[in-house]
Amino acid sequence: MKINLKIGFICSLLAALLALPTCIVAQIKQENLKKHIYYLASDKMKGRGTGSKEVNKAAKYIEKHFKKYGLSPKGERNYRQTFTAKVRRVVVPDSIRQADNIIGFLDNNAPYTIIIGAHYDHLGTGHQGSSRDSLGVGQIHNGADDNASGVAGLLELARHFATNKEKEAYNMLFIGFGAEELGLVGSRHFTENPTIPLENIQWMLNMDMIGRYNPDNGLAIIGYGTSSKFPSIFDGITSDIKFNLSRDGNGGSDQTSFYKKNIPVLFFHTGGHDDYHKPGDDPEKINYKALESILKLEIEVLNNSMKQGKMDFQWTN
């Protein structure tokens, strides 16, 4: 007689028989990653420039999924933390723009909280500065890798931890940062106006451009040196993708704002490419299989970090 058993049931059965903790299967799904990225990086979203109605649609999309997964609002106005950002690289008539961080909380009744973040804005049509294609200014910069890929990861990690029926040892705060492309404005605003005490933050995981994995270069994991606990956290972790550990926690993306507040950080990043900050950063160029593997690796890192006590901070510069 042929019996088909789901992996999750087998894990639970083995755990019960062996008196071991239940093994948790990562729930990351490529079809969800594609859905998120194709929505956020579609031409209809017009590049999600800060202050645009399209970036507000992206914010509403993140809010909708946070609510769907049962995350508690942890902004200052429901899920939103509103602030202003300024376009500085070019002269534009509307240089002062409203932006929002979108913040959802998974409350495990723990004293400390892990932050998981990714920025959801991009360059619009290139008129706010930072386009690397002078002939492409005026064209939609879809930002599939930068950073629809990170937002897709943020939403899938939120779904995994909110629906895995486990009560983790730490709370988790999921943040979609606004106005990163204007100079890490959203993450800096949060760390200056935190909606949870900074001293209660265990560490921060940031995802920015995790969609264009190149096996010749591997995945960069930046910030390994920002806590003495990270070597233990990574001990025994393996993956079907190559990853490289880098010590410094400073520079390049939103984890920097937390690093400057003496909070341990890791920044996951698949590196630059020819479409970076150009109109050609499109959804069909994302390596979805590798993106799934990256998120499964992050789940392992997060799970291992929850076995640690309060993490110390180390300055790496």
mmCIF file of all heavy atoms in Angstrom, residues 45-78:
data_model
loop_
_atom_site.group_PDB
_atom_site.id
_atom_site.type_symbol
_atom_site.label_atom_id
_atom_site.label_comp_id
_atom_site.label_asym_id
_atom_site.label_seq_id
_atom_site.Cartn_x
_atom_site.Cartn_y
_atom_site.Cartn_z
ATOM 1 N N MET A 45 4.094 50.311 -12.016
ATOM 2 C CA MET A 45 4.590 50.903 -10.768
ATOM 3 C C MET A 45 5.585 52.038 -11.020
ATOM 4 O O MET A 45 6.034 52.697 -10.073
ATOM 5 C CB MET A 45 5.229 49.821 -9.893
ATOM 6 C CG MET A 45 4.249 48.745 -9.443
ATOM 7 S SD MET A 45 2.887 49.400 -8.462
ATOM 8 C CE MET A 45 3.680 49.562 -6.877
ATOM 9 N N LYS A 46 5.958 52.247 -12.275
ATOM 10 C CA LYS A 46 6.742 53.409 -12.714
ATOM 11 C C LYS A 46 7.985 53.664 -11.863
ATOM 12 O O LYS A 46 8.378 54.807 -11.619
ATOM 13 C CB LYS A 46 5.851 54.654 -12.750
ATOM 14 C CG LYS A 46 4.721 54.545 -13.771
ATOM 15 C CD LYS A 46 3.901 55.807 -13.837
ATOM 16 C CE LYS A 46 2.781 55.674 -14.871
ATOM 17 N NZ LYS A 46 1.936 56.896 -14.929
ATOM 18 N N GLY A 47 8.602 52.586 -11.409
ATOM 19 C CA GLY A 47 9.887 52.715 -10.730
ATOM 20 C C GLY A 47 9.834 53.066 -9.255
ATOM 21 O O GLY A 47 10.872 53.246 -8.624
ATOM 22 N N ARG A 48 8.633 53.217 -8.679
ATOM 23 C CA ARG A 48 8.470 53.390 -7.231
ATOM 24 C C ARG A 48 9.327 54.526 -6.659
ATOM 25 O O ARG A 48 9.945 54.406 -5.608
ATOM 26 C CB ARG A 48 8.770 52.086 -6.464
ATOM 27 C CG ARG A 48 8.044 50.865 -6.982
ATOM 28 C CD ARG A 48 8.301 49.624 -6.149
ATOM 29 N NE ARG A 48 9.678 49.337 -5.902
ATOM 30 C CZ ARG A 48 10.502 48.724 -6.756
ATOM 31 N NH1 ARG A 48 10.069 48.323 -7.939
ATOM 32 N NH2 ARG A 48 11.762 48.500 -6.438
ATOM 33 N N GLY A 49 9.363 55.646 -7.355
ATOM 34 C CA GLY A 49 10.135 56.782 -6.866
ATOM 35 C C GLY A 49 9.549 57.359 -5.596
ATOM 36 O O GLY A 49 8.321 57.379 -5.406
ATOM 37 N N THR A 50 10.393 57.834 -4.694
ATOM 38 C CA THR A 50 9.936 58.399 -3.433
ATOM 39 C C THR A 50 8.959 59.552 -3.683
ATOM 40 O O THR A 50 9.215 60.430 -4.501
ATOM 41 C CB THR A 50 11.124 58.902 -2.597
ATOM 42 O OG1 THR A 50 11.953 57.787 -2.273
ATOM 43 C CG2 THR A 50 10.657 59.570 -1.304
ATOM 44 N N GLY A 51 7.830 59.520 -2.966
ATOM 45 C CA GLY A 51 6.816 60.555 -3.101
ATOM 46 C C GLY A 51 5.785 60.307 -4.177
ATOM 47 O O GLY A 51 4.810 61.055 -4.281
ATOM 48 N N SER A 52 5.950 59.260 -4.967
ATOM 49 C CA SER A 52 5.022 58.985 -6.061
ATOM 50 C C SER A 52 3.811 58.203 -5.567
ATOM 51 O O SER A 52 3.850 57.543 -4.524
ATOM 52 C CB SER A 52 5.730 58.184 -7.163
ATOM 53 O OG SER A 52 6.037 56.872 -6.712
ATOM 54 N N LYS A 53 2.722 58.266 -6.344
ATOM 55 C CA LYS A 53 1.550 57.461 -5.985
ATOM 56 C C LYS A 53 1.847 55.975 -6.143
ATOM 57 O O LYS A 53 1.258 55.139 -5.449
ATOM 58 C CB LYS A 53 0.336 57.866 -6.813
ATOM 59 C CG LYS A 53 0.447 57.612 -8.309
ATOM 60 C CD LYS A 53 -0.834 58.044 -9.029
ATOM 61 C CE LYS A 53 -0.765 57.759 -10.526
ATOM 62 N NZ LYS A 53 -2.003 58.193 -11.227
ATOM 63 N N GLU A 54 2.801 55.640 -7.024
ATOM 64 C CA GLU A 54 3.150 54.230 -7.222
ATOM 65 C C GLU A 54 3.908 53.662 -6.030
ATOM 66 O O GLU A 54 3.690 52.510 -5.643
ATOM 67 C CB GLU A 54 3.960 54.058 -8.505
ATOM 68 C CG GLU A 54 3.171 54.275 -9.776
ATOM 69 C CD GLU A 54 2.963 55.745 -10.120
ATOM 70 O OE1 GLU A 54 3.722 56.601 -9.583
ATOM 71 O OE2 GLU A 54 2.052 56.040 -10.924
ATOM 72 N N VAL A 55 4.794 54.434 -5.422
ATOM 73 C CA VAL A 55 5.492 53.919 -4.241
ATOM 74 C C VAL A 55 4.502 53.767 -3.086
ATOM 75 O O VAL A 55 4.651 52.880 -2.234
ATOM 76 C CB VAL A 55 6.695 54.803 -3.846
ATOM 77 C CG1 VAL A 55 6.298 56.016 -3.019
ATOM 78 C CG2 VAL A 55 7.743 53.991 -3.095
ATOM 79 N N ASN A 56 3.459 54.595 -3.077
ATOM 80 C CA ASN A 56 2.406 54.419 -2.067
ATOM 81 C C ASN A 56 1.625 53.134 -2.320
ATOM 82 O O ASN A 56 1.199 52.465 -1.375
ATOM 83 C CB ASN A 56 1.470 55.619 -2.057
ATOM 84 C CG ASN A 56 0.501 55.591 -0.890
ATOM 85 O OD1 ASN A 56 0.896 55.339 0.248
ATOM 86 N ND2 ASN A 56 -0.765 55.821 -1.167
ATOM 87 N N LYS A 57 1.448 52.766 -3.586
ATOM 88 C CA LYS A 57 0.818 51.479 -3.900
ATOM 89 C C LYS A 57 1.677 50.328 -3.387
ATOM 90 O O LYS A 57 1.159 49.331 -2.878
ATOM 91 C CB LYS A 57 0.616 51.338 -5.414
ATOM 92 C CG LYS A 57 -0.487 52.203 -5.997
ATOM 93 C CD LYS A 57 -0.607 51.958 -7.494
ATOM 94 C CE LYS A 57 -1.676 52.823 -8.125
ATOM 95 N NZ LYS A 57 -1.761 52.613 -9.599
ATOM 96 N N ALA A 58 3.001 50.472 -3.533
ATOM 97 C CA ALA A 58 3.903 49.443 -3.018
ATOM 98 C C ALA A 58 3.789 49.349 -1.500
ATOM 99 O O ALA A 58 3.789 48.249 -0.931
ATOM 100 C CB ALA A 58 5.334 49.750 -3.431
ATOM 101 N N ALA A 59 3.675 50.487 -0.835
ATOM 102 C CA ALA A 59 3.510 50.492 0.622
ATOM 103 C C ALA A 59 2.218 49.783 1.020
ATOM 104 O O ALA A 59 2.192 48.977 1.961
ATOM 105 C CB ALA A 59 3.513 51.932 1.140
ATOM 106 N N LYS A 60 1.140 50.055 0.292
ATOM 107 C CA LYS A 60 -0.145 49.404 0.580
ATOM 108 C C LYS A 60 -0.060 47.894 0.345
ATOM 109 O O LYS A 60 -0.686 47.106 1.054
ATOM 110 C CB LYS A 60 -1.245 50.009 -0.296
ATOM 111 C CG LYS A 60 -1.641 51.419 0.107
ATOM 112 C CD LYS A 60 -2.736 51.960 -0.803
ATOM 113 C CE LYS A 60 -3.157 53.363 -0.385
ATOM 114 N NZ LYS A 60 -4.200 53.913 -1.291
ATOM 115 N N TYR A 61 0.716 47.494 -0.661
ATOM 116 C CA TYR A 61 0.905 46.070 -0.954
ATOM 117 C C TYR A 61 1.588 45.372 0.218
ATOM 118 O O TYR A 61 1.181 44.275 0.632
ATOM 119 C CB TYR A 61 1.746 45.943 -2.227
ATOM 120 C CG TYR A 61 1.940 44.538 -2.742
ATOM 121 C CD1 TYR A 61 0.976 43.928 -3.534
ATOM 122 C CD2 TYR A 61 3.111 43.836 -2.464
ATOM 123 C CE1 TYR A 61 1.162 42.652 -4.036
ATOM 124 C CE2 TYR A 61 3.310 42.549 -2.965
ATOM 125 C CZ TYR A 61 2.322 41.968 -3.744
ATOM 126 O OH TYR A 61 2.513 40.687 -4.240
ATOM 127 N N ILE A 62 2.614 46.005 0.779
ATOM 128 C CA ILE A 62 3.312 45.432 1.938
ATOM 129 C C ILE A 62 2.372 45.392 3.140
ATOM 130 O O ILE A 62 2.282 44.378 3.847
ATOM 131 C CB ILE A 62 4.581 46.243 2.258
ATOM 132 C CG1 ILE A 62 5.566 46.175 1.083
ATOM 133 C CG2 ILE A 62 5.251 45.730 3.537
ATOM 134 C CD1 ILE A 62 6.719 47.157 1.194
ATOM 135 N N GLU A 63 1.635 46.476 3.366
ATOM 136 C CA GLU A 63 0.669 46.513 4.469
ATOM 137 C C GLU A 63 -0.351 45.378 4.357
ATOM 138 O O GLU A 63 -0.671 44.715 5.352
ATOM 139 C CB GLU A 63 -0.083 47.847 4.455
ATOM 140 C CG GLU A 63 0.700 49.029 4.973
ATOM 141 C CD GLU A 63 -0.113 50.306 4.874
ATOM 142 O OE1 GLU A 63 -0.680 50.605 3.813
ATOM 143 O OE2 GLU A 63 -0.184 51.018 5.896
ATOM 144 N N LYS A 64 -0.865 45.188 3.145
ATOM 145 C CA LYS A 64 -1.873 44.148 2.920
ATOM 146 C C LYS A 64 -1.354 42.789 3.331
ATOM 147 O O LYS A 64 -2.059 42.003 3.991
ATOM 148 C CB LYS A 64 -2.290 44.136 1.448
ATOM 149 C CG LYS A 64 -3.311 43.064 1.091
ATOM 150 C CD LYS A 64 -3.638 43.060 -0.399
ATOM 151 C CE LYS A 64 -2.502 42.453 -1.214
ATOM 152 N NZ LYS A 64 -2.869 42.305 -2.648
ATOM 153 N N HIS A 65 -0.109 42.487 2.977
ATOM 154 C CA HIS A 65 0.452 41.173 3.306
ATOM 155 C C HIS A 65 0.809 41.070 4.784
ATOM 156 O O HIS A 65 0.622 40.007 5.392
ATOM 157 C CB HIS A 65 1.651 40.880 2.405
ATOM 158 C CG HIS A 65 1.250 40.503 1.012
ATOM 159 N ND1 HIS A 65 1.000 41.434 0.033
ATOM 160 C CD2 HIS A 65 1.017 39.291 0.450
ATOM 161 C CE1 HIS A 65 0.645 40.812 -1.084
ATOM 162 N NE2 HIS A 65 0.656 39.517 -0.856
ATOM 163 N N PHE A 66 1.295 42.134 5.387
ATOM 164 C CA PHE A 66 1.541 42.102 6.829
ATOM 165 C C PHE A 66 0.246 41.789 7.577
ATOM 166 O O PHE A 66 0.229 40.985 8.525
ATOM 167 C CB PHE A 66 2.113 43.441 7.304
ATOM 168 C CG PHE A 66 3.587 43.633 7.034
ATOM 169 C CD1 PHE A 66 4.337 42.667 6.386
ATOM 170 C CD2 PHE A 66 4.228 44.798 7.447
ATOM 171 C CE1 PHE A 66 5.703 42.858 6.142
ATOM 172 C CE2 PHE A 66 5.586 44.986 7.224
ATOM 173 C CZ PHE A 66 6.319 44.019 6.576
ATOM 174 N N LYS A 67 -0.831 42.443 7.156
ATOM 175 C CA LYS A 67 -2.125 42.194 7.799
ATOM 176 C C LYS A 67 -2.589 40.765 7.552
ATOM 177 O O LYS A 67 -3.083 40.087 8.457
ATOM 178 C CB LYS A 67 -3.163 43.187 7.271
ATOM 179 C CG LYS A 67 -4.513 43.088 7.957
ATOM 180 C CD LYS A 67 -5.455 44.176 7.467
ATOM 181 C CE LYS A 67 -6.794 44.100 8.187
ATOM 182 N NZ LYS A 67 -7.730 45.164 7.723
ATOM 183 N N LYS A 68 -2.418 40.280 6.318
ATOM 184 C CA LYS A 68 -2.811 38.911 5.961
ATOM 185 C C LYS A 68 -2.084 37.894 6.824
ATOM 186 O O LYS A 68 -2.668 36.870 7.223
ATOM 187 C CB LYS A 68 -2.511 38.670 4.484
ATOM 188 C CG LYS A 68 -2.818 37.272 3.984
ATOM 189 C CD LYS A 68 -2.456 37.147 2.504
ATOM 190 C CE LYS A 68 -2.695 35.726 2.002
ATOM 191 N NZ LYS A 68 -2.320 35.603 0.552
ATOM 192 N N TYR A 69 -0.810 38.146 7.128
ATOM 193 C CA TYR A 69 -0.011 37.201 7.911
ATOM 194 C C TYR A 69 -0.214 37.383 9.415
ATOM 195 O O TYR A 69 0.403 36.666 10.208
ATOM 196 C CB TYR A 69 1.467 37.341 7.567
ATOM 197 C CG TYR A 69 1.780 37.166 6.097
ATOM 198 C CD1 TYR A 69 2.836 37.864 5.502
ATOM 199 C CD2 TYR A 69 1.021 36.325 5.282
ATOM 200 C CE1 TYR A 69 3.124 37.705 4.156
ATOM 201 C CE2 TYR A 69 1.301 36.184 3.926
ATOM 202 C CZ TYR A 69 2.352 36.876 3.374
ATOM 203 O OH TYR A 69 2.636 36.746 2.029
ATOM 204 N N GLY A 70 -1.039 38.331 9.815
ATOM 205 C CA GLY A 70 -1.342 38.504 11.230
ATOM 206 C C GLY A 70 -0.315 39.296 12.010
ATOM 207 O O GLY A 70 -0.284 39.224 13.247
ATOM 208 N N LEU A 71 0.541 40.070 11.322
ATOM 209 C CA LEU A 71 1.502 40.904 12.032
ATOM 210 C C LEU A 71 0.794 42.105 12.647
ATOM 211 O O LEU A 71 -0.088 42.706 12.029
ATOM 212 C CB LEU A 71 2.606 41.387 11.082
ATOM 213 C CG LEU A 71 3.428 40.318 10.369
ATOM 214 C CD1 LEU A 71 4.525 40.973 9.535
ATOM 215 C CD2 LEU A 71 4.045 39.326 11.353
ATOM 216 N N SER A 72 1.189 42.471 13.841
ATOM 217 C CA SER A 72 0.604 43.626 14.511
ATOM 218 C C SER A 72 1.203 44.912 13.957
ATOM 219 O O SER A 72 2.411 44.968 13.680
ATOM 220 C CB SER A 72 0.875 43.566 16.013
ATOM 221 O OG SER A 72 0.378 42.368 16.571
ATOM 222 N N PRO A 73 0.396 45.951 13.781
ATOM 223 C CA PRO A 73 0.958 47.239 13.344
ATOM 224 C C PRO A 73 1.924 47.775 14.398
ATOM 225 O O PRO A 73 1.635 47.741 15.588
ATOM 226 C CB PRO A 73 -0.277 48.139 13.231
ATOM 227 C CG PRO A 73 -1.443 47.220 13.157
ATOM 228 C CD PRO A 73 -1.067 46.005 13.946
ATOM 229 N N LYS A 74 3.065 48.267 13.935
ATOM 230 C CA LYS A 74 4.050 48.820 14.874
ATOM 231 C C LYS A 74 4.621 50.128 14.325
ATOM 232 O O LYS A 74 5.754 50.518 14.635
ATOM 233 C CB LYS A 74 5.173 47.804 15.114
ATOM 234 C CG LYS A 74 5.850 47.952 16.479
ATOM 235 C CD LYS A 74 4.932 47.602 17.616
ATOM 236 C CE LYS A 74 5.671 47.583 18.946
ATOM 237 N NZ LYS A 74 4.761 47.280 20.066
ATOM 238 N N GLY A 75 3.831 50.816 13.499
ATOM 239 C CA GLY A 75 4.221 52.146 13.071
ATOM 240 C C GLY A 75 3.709 53.181 14.059
ATOM 241 O O GLY A 75 3.339 52.864 15.188
ATOM 242 N N GLU A 76 3.662 54.398 13.607
ATOM 243 C CA GLU A 76 3.091 55.464 14.430
ATOM 244 C C GLU A 76 1.647 55.744 14.013
ATOM 245 O O GLU A 76 0.892 56.351 14.767
ATOM 246 C CB GLU A 76 3.955 56.724 14.304
ATOM 247 C CG GLU A 76 5.334 56.522 14.925
ATOM 248 C CD GLU A 76 6.358 57.519 14.425
ATOM 249 O OE1 GLU A 76 6.077 58.225 13.431
ATOM 250 O OE2 GLU A 76 7.451 57.586 15.017
ATOM 251 N N ARG A 77 1.292 55.309 12.814
ATOM 252 C CA ARG A 77 -0.075 55.395 12.312
ATOM 253 C C ARG A 77 -0.390 54.057 11.660
ATOM 254 O O ARG A 77 -0.086 53.843 10.514
ATOM 255 C CB ARG A 77 -0.205 56.553 11.319
ATOM 256 C CG ARG A 77 -1.593 56.748 10.730
ATOM 257 C CD ARG A 77 -1.677 58.051 9.938
ATOM 258 N NE ARG A 77 -0.641 58.136 8.914
ATOM 259 C CZ ARG A 77 -0.805 57.716 7.661
ATOM 260 N NH1 ARG A 77 -1.943 57.168 7.283
ATOM 261 N NH2 ARG A 77 0.177 57.840 6.784
ATOM 262 N N ASN A 78 -0.913 53.143 12.475
ATOM 263 C CA ASN A 78 -1.132 51.769 12.039
ATOM 264 C C ASN A 78 0.221 51.151 11.651
ATOM 265 O O ASN A 78 1.144 51.156 12.454
ATOM 266 C CB ASN A 78 -2.156 51.719 10.904
ATOM 267 C CG ASN A 78 -2.878 50.391 10.807
ATOM 268 O OD1 ASN A 78 -2.566 49.439 11.520
ATOM 269 N ND2 ASN A 78 -3.857 50.318 9.936
#
